[in-house]
Amino acid sequence: MQISSMLPAQNLHLFEAKRASFRCRGSPLNPVTKPTTSFQSLKSVSSTEVTRLHLSNLEKLLQKQSQPHELDPQPVQKDTDAGSSENKGRGLLEGLNLDRIWPEMKATEEMSPRHLKILQRLLSKTAEYSPRNNLSSRWREYHGSNDWAGLLDPLDENLRREVVRYGEFVQAAYQSFHSDPATSAEKAPSPHHVALPDRSYRVTKSLYATSSVGLPKWVDDVAPDLGWMTQRTSWVGYVAVCEDRREIQRMGRRDIVIALRGTATCLEWAENMRDLLVQMPGDHDPTQLQPKVQCGFLSLYKTRGAHVPSLAESVVEEVQRLMELYKGETLSITVTGHSLGAALSLLVADELSTCGPDMPPVAVFSFGGPRVGNRGFANSINDKNVKVLRIVNSQDVITKVPGMFVSEGLDQKLRNTTAVAGVLDVLDNNMPWAYSHVGTELRVDTKMSPYLKPNADVACCHDLEAYLHLVDGFLASNCPFRANAKRSLVRLMNEQRSNVKKLYTSKAKALTLKVERGGMGMAMSSCLPSPS
């Protein structure tokens, strides 16, 4: 039905009567849009023509189902600059003129729909991952066959996803332990339930670490309620194997994962402090630098519990069982851990590499790991073709201990000097704190994150979720945090709120925006201003 047919001709004089008071103004819902025609240009036109023109425009608008900001008296000219990206996303929210509601904020930029969509995704509790690309043709390269050459700086997208994925295996170990930390001293423990982040894997073995030392009896008298904090044997991780055929095809092999958590109990902390280097068990070439490792780490790895085997025995036994079960298939072994778990990962990988005649490739992905042994141990790892990728935060002090506070780069420069190299070799053989890092380094930095405070505390710089946040945003050493980071900020906000910039913590609860469009609600709860 035409709009003009709804108005009798005799009523057309009403528009002429109000002509003197009529002014063509921009819509208050869209202050940035200017009308394209003024009333002055219509003076010479007859009243009937003016009326018909306005009715025609009104009819077009009603038939179009336009957005609220488009309700101007005159048709709005479209921006024909196809190369301009600044105007994209400036729709309804910009038209609402939010700088009047929140004057301290830049409404057109920080509150644009584009940024709100990004922040809604980052603050969503639903994890979003980078695409799972097919790795079958290059899986050995991503597993470290070439020491990740050419993949780290800039960081390869597929490798980034693999690093974050293995870090989440360690997070699952933390969550499983803290949900049930106590271990019975009278009987063998029951299997731990582990909620794996990747459902294509299945847990096949629980792993336990036992301290060779115990707390004195007076500790129980002074603090009898410490409970599991003083137990000698604790659940430390698990073995899992990929069983999904499509995932095996995508990765190019069946992957066996050993995931180990970091320090949790009092006795584990006590073992961390036993930082003297001791000889690695086994036969070694007397003409070479003897491999030595930290006393406490070796103790946790080799000591048997009252009702459980040692960590070393459990891992070797389970991996050998899985190798026999999947004999004839292409396999890989990936050991991953954080903090203490990163240190134990090196000991696990060192032993697994020689526990059978046809061992699959062994790789370690460690997060925030301390130094574990001397240069002889590092040489032994390399000789056994164990590939190690150390993810290191520049602000994390744990990665600089134990041993002398000398950077790996300076140490390498000194060893390239003939006069100094001989002295350092003598120190390696005789000093009880001559530690050395192992493997290839992927270095991230807390200061690169637009969300974290640059002076974040030690706990934040060592936190595993902070590590995964930094890896997810890392592009290259000379690039800022990537704008299309995928990882949710919810866990980072929950665990490190005091180290998140005040801008984000203050707006997280204060800002709730709901826009209804076409009868459908688009709720954005607890959105934060975009860092970009």
Side-chain angles (χ1 to χ4, degrees), residues 20 23 106 108 193:
R23 294 291 185 272
K106 296 180 180 178
T108 58
H193 171 72

Side-chain angles (χ1 to χ4, degrees), residues 282-307:
D283 298 328
H284 305 285
D285 187 351
T287 63
Q288 300 295 323
L289 185 63
Q290 297 301 295
K292 298 179 181 179
V293 294
Q294 199 248 33
C295 175
F297 298 156
L298 187 62
S299 168
L300 288 170
Y301 181 62
K302 288 290 188 180
T303 304
R304 291 178 58 89
H307 303 284

Side-chain angles (χ1 to χ4, degrees), residues 209-213 267-278 293-303 340 343-344 347 372 402 435:
T210 302
S211 172
S212 62
V213 298
L267 291 180
E268 289 170 358
W269 278 110
E271 295 286 16
N272 290 343
M273 302 304 170
R274 300 173 63 193
D275 59 350
L276 293 180
L277 288 167
V278 296
V293 294
Q294 199 248 33
C295 175
F297 298 156
L298 187 62
S299 168
L300 288 170
Y301 181 62
K302 288 290 188 180
T303 304
L340 171 63
L344 295 175
L347 300 179
V372 177
Y435 281 85

Side-chain angles (χ1 to χ4, degrees), residues 38-53:
S38 66
F39 176 73
Q40 297 297 326
S41 65
L42 301 176
K43 268 190 172 183
S44 60
V45 186
S46 67
S47 61
T48 303
E49 292 176 348
V50 171
T51 302
R52 288 176 178 173
L53 177 60

Side-chain angles (χ1 to χ4, degrees), residues 248-494:
I248 293 172
Q249 184 177 7
R250 184 192 71 84
M251 294 191 299
R253 84 282 188 189
R254 187 187 294 273
D255 190 32
I256 300 172
V257 170
I258 297 103
L260 303 169
R261 62 163 176 82
T263 308
T265 70
C266 292
L267 291 180
E268 289 170 358
W269 278 110
E271 295 286 16
N272 290 343
M273 302 304 170
R274 300 173 63 193
D275 59 350
L276 293 180
L277 288 167
V278 296
Q279 185 80 28
M280 280 283 288
D283 298 328
H284 305 285
D285 187 351
T287 63
Q288 300 295 323
L289 185 63
Q290 297 301 295
K292 298 179 181 179
V293 294
Q294 199 248 33
C295 175
F297 298 156
L298 187 62
S299 168
L300 288 170
Y301 181 62
K302 288 290 188 180
T303 304
R304 291 178 58 89
H307 303 284
V308 295
S310 67
L311 175 58
E313 294 170 332
S314 296
V315 169
V316 171
E317 178 186 353
E318 182 62 14
V319 169
Q320 288 178 336
R321 186 187 72 83
L322 293 174
M323 287 177 57
E324 183 63 27
L325 179 63
Y326 301 111
K327 190 174 183 179
E329 295 187 29
T330 302
L331 301 176
S332 68
I333 298 174
T334 306
V335 193
T336 182
H338 170 247
S339 193
L340 171 63
L344 295 175
S345 294
L346 289 179
L347 300 179
V348 168
D350 177 69
E351 184 155 5
L352 286 179
S353 63
T354 57
C355 72
D358 299 313
M359 288 301 299
V362 180
V364 176
F365 290 81
S366 71
F367 299 85
R371 297 185 179 110
V372 177
N374 66 345
R375 185 164 296 277
F377 175 68
N379 294 339
S380 175
I381 289 282
N382 294 330
D383 292 342
K384 295 175 181 178
N385 204 32
V386 174
K387 302 302 180 179
V388 180
L389 180 61
R390 293 185 301 108
I391 296 89
V392 176
N393 184 355
S394 297
Q395 316 302 316
D396 187 0
V397 297
I398 302 300
T399 62
K400 301 176 176 64
V401 296
M404 297 178 292
F405 287 88
V406 178
S407 68
E408 303 301 311
L410 177 59
D411 182 77
Q412 187 61 43
K413 289 181 180 179
L414 294 174
R415 291 182 185 278
N416 291 336
T417 306
T418 306
V420 181
V423 176
L424 293 177
D425 289 340
V426 174
L427 294 176
D428 285 341
N429 278 316
N430 298 283
M431 283 193 64
W433 294 285
Y435 281 85
S436 177
H437 268 306
V438 183
T440 305
E441 180 181 275
L442 170 60
R443 182 167 289 272
V444 294
D445 196 321
T446 302
K447 296 179 181 179
M448 296 293 288
S449 171
Y451 298 96
L452 295 174
K453 295 178 181 178
N455 60 340
D457 59 32
V458 175
C460 176
C461 294
H462 187 60
D463 181 70
L464 179 56
E465 178 58 33
Y467 262 92
L468 300 186
H469 166 70
L470 294 174
V471 171
D472 183 59
F474 182 79
L475 282 174
S477 56
N478 59 348
C479 293
F481 207 80
R482 70 180 182 129
N484 61 337
K486 301 288 185 182
R487 190 163 187 81
S488 171
L489 297 175
V490 172
R491 179 175 290 181
L492 186 68
M493 289 286 293
N494 290 341

